[in-house]
Amino acid sequence: MYSPTTDRIHIQEVGMRDGLQSAGKFVETEDKVRLLNDLSKTGLSKIEVTSFVSPKAVPLLADAEAVLSAIDRRPGVAYSALIPNTRGLDRALSVELDEVNVVMSVSEAHNMANLRMTCEDSIAQFHQICANRGTLKVNGTLATAFGCPFTGHVSESMVLDWAKRYMDTGIDSLTLADTVGTATPNQVFDLCGAAIGEFPGVEITLHLHNTRGLGIANALAGVAAGIRRLDASVGGIGGCPYAPGATGNICTEDLVHALIFDGYKCAVDLDRLIAISHDLEAILSDSLPGLVRQAGSKVTTHPMSDDLKCRLGLVT
Ligand code: COA
Ligand code: ZN
């Protein structure tokens, strides 16, 4: 049961990784650094800064080390980077970082498409990563936990079985990811509730994409099931380059807006987020999917035009 006095919903920004990895163009390192420094000041709990993957697979994040060596760290914000393998860990250990986010898919077909390895190979890498992590925390993301773009339905028992194997590698926390936005609110409620019941005391993050317009509804269903950590992406950018049809993450400012006005505490500055979203839109020279940036918040009002006032007889 959520309590506004004791509970906080932690918002974790993934736009600079999940979003920019498939943006329409390379965002210059200095622009990434400015966006990240601004995001650090908004009250976010965690920021996934970049990924240490093959630059051939994801050229738009080839400047990972340069970005991480240039950003300002803010106390209270955890800085994370995605890694797919032990080579990624070596690179992560060469920079200042709090956490690595390892990733594998529940679906064998998507793991092959995304990471060119079997799920068993991924698990073997994660044992090595956890053994050699030093002081880094390790979060484990289970991609395609709600459905696969190649094989379709993914069963709850399959997700929980892989989650157990994942936990056994020594990861500290778990993310359930709806990589291609096929989840529905009841499905989210059920799977999140089952995972929380199966792994008591483990921090579980919900990572959602808004591909079919259910992103915010799914986030609220997750919170109702007991989820207290949500990934989101400023402006709603995002999409896995190796998942056909995948579009943006749930939009950070839309999520924060929904949580605040639905009575949840998340301690994130909505106005600052909206300003960053405008900045990102200008950098990408493309309109972004987020809605609150365009519409303003629920309490935004607009002055009546003089013409309308005249027609209504409100002025003489
Ligand atoms: N960082 C940088 N380079 C890496 C790397 C890493 N973490 N892992 C592998 N490489 C390099 C190798 O050194 C090799 O380079 P070379 O061709 O110059 O010799 C090349 O990538 C291929 O290495 P290999 O081990 O054969 O990998 P692969 O071709 O089987 O690809 C991955 C496997 C995991 C490296 C690649 O599929 C990948 O990076 N995927 C990430 C996809 C992604 O980010 N998806 C979205 C997030 S979920
Ligand atoms: Zn994603």
Side-chain angles (χ1 to χ4, degrees), residues 139-200:
N139 180 74
T141 291
L142 265 181
T144 65
F146 298 87
C148 166
F150 306 112
T151 56
H153 179 69
V154 171
S155 72
E156 195 173 292
S157 62
M158 212 170 141
V159 178
L160 295 178
D161 287 350
W162 278 116
K164 171 85 177 62
R165 297 279 313 277
Y166 224 153
M167 292 306 303
D168 290 345
T169 67
I171 60 171
D172 300 289
S173 53
L174 183 71
T175 294
L176 298 174
D178 182 21
T179 311
V180 282
T182 55
T184 57
N186 282 329
Q187 184 188 12
V188 168
F189 185 85
D190 290 347
L191 181 59
C192 291
I196 290 167
E198 193 78 20
F199 307 107

Side-chain angles (χ1 to χ4, degrees), residues 1 79 93 119 129 157 165 173 188 194 237 240 264 284 287:
M1 187 69 177
Y79 295 89
L93 287 169
C119 295
I129 287 168
S157 62
R165 297 279 313 277
S173 53
V188 168
I237 58 171
C240 175
Y264 296 101
L284 292 175
S287 63

Side-chain angles (χ1 to χ4, degrees), residues 71-88:
I71 57 168
D72 300 329
R73 267 86 181 164
R74 207 170 174 89
V77 182
Y79 295 89
S80 178
L82 181 140
I83 62 169
N85 56 14
T86 51
R87 167 104 170 77

Side-chain angles (χ1 to χ4, degrees), residues 238-256:
C240 175
Y242 298 97
T247 59
N249 291 90
I250 53 170
C251 169
T252 314
E253 60 269 25
D254 291 4
L255 174 66
V256 166

Side-chain angles (χ1 to χ4, degrees), residues 204-225:
I204 300 181
T205 292
L206 187 55
H207 175 105
L208 298 164
H209 285 255
N210 194 36
T211 317
R212 292 169 179 81
L214 288 171
I216 298 292
N218 286 337
L220 295 174
V223 171

